[in-house]
Amino acid sequence: MDKLFDIVFLDEMFEFLSNLEKKHYEKILFNIRKAQTKQDPELFKKLKDEIWEFRTLYQGLHYRLFAFWDKSNSGNTLVISTHGIVKKTSKTPDSEIQKAKQARSRYFEDKEISNKTKQ
């Protein structure tokens, strides 16, 4: 089955996942792989502006991994995952969305600088 996108984890995401129990980490990765092959808002949903979230419910815990799209390369579409939280309320905290927006801005600024130095 073809993937809809490739996934890139930023450092903070790796840190978040590495602090989870192995089965929880594995379930999150399983759901991300499923989201890569089919559009399912239960697994991957747009929040607001350009920020999306991977969603996993496992053993009563609601995991949210924040992400954004990078479609600048015509060859492959990337989803960049910025950081994760264990969601404790019904509403996603605005501070977490803002944190993802800031990571998105930094990512594209760094990418632009990198592209300029290659030229």
Side-chain angles (χ1 to χ4, degrees):
M1 185 169 278
D2 289 342
K3 286 194 288 186
L4 302 171
F5 55 84
D6 290 321
I7 181 98
V8 173
F9 292 141
L10 298 183
D11 290 342
E12 192 171 339
M13 178 54 67
F14 276 119
E15 188 177 322
F16 174 76
L17 292 173
S18 69
N19 288 320
L20 299 177
E21 293 178 34
K22 186 176 185 220
K23 290 209 179 274
H24 294 245
Y25 174 90
E26 289 172 347
K27 178 64 175 179
I28 290 169
L29 293 181
F30 174 81
N31 281 351
I32 289 172
R33 284 190 292 273
K34 278 177 41 179
Q36 285 179 296
T37 60
K38 69 176 188 169
Q39 294 179 342
D40 182 348
E42 290 298 314
L43 298 173
F44 190 51
K45 177 182 174 184
K46 185 171 186 177
L47 290 175
K48 67 169 148 178
D49 299 325
E50 300 297 322
I51 304 304
W52 291 65
E53 68 180 358
F54 288 102
R55 304 158 55 98
T56 298
L57 172 61
Y58 186 67
Q59 293 186 347
L61 295 172
H62 295 266
Y63 292 101
R64 297 296 185 260
L65 281 62
F66 298 91
F68 59 88
W69 293 85
D70 178 354
K71 299 179 183 180
S72 60
N73 182 342
S74 62
N76 66 341
T77 300
L78 297 176
V79 170
I80 313 300
S81 187
T82 62
H83 69 287
I85 63 168
V86 177
K87 191 171 166 187
K88 295 181 166 102
T89 64
S90 61
K91 187 175 183 319
T92 302
D94 281 334
S95 60
E96 299 299 337
I97 295 170
Q98 290 304 321
K99 187 175 180 179
K101 283 182 178 181
Q102 290 169 350
R104 181 180 183 276
S105 294
R106 273 193 314 275
Y107 170 86
F108 283 113
E109 287 168 8
D110 292 348
K111 187 171 184 173
E112 187 175 326
I113 290 168
S114 175
N115 287 341
K116 285 182 180 176
T117 59
K118 289 179 185 176
Q119 295 175 354

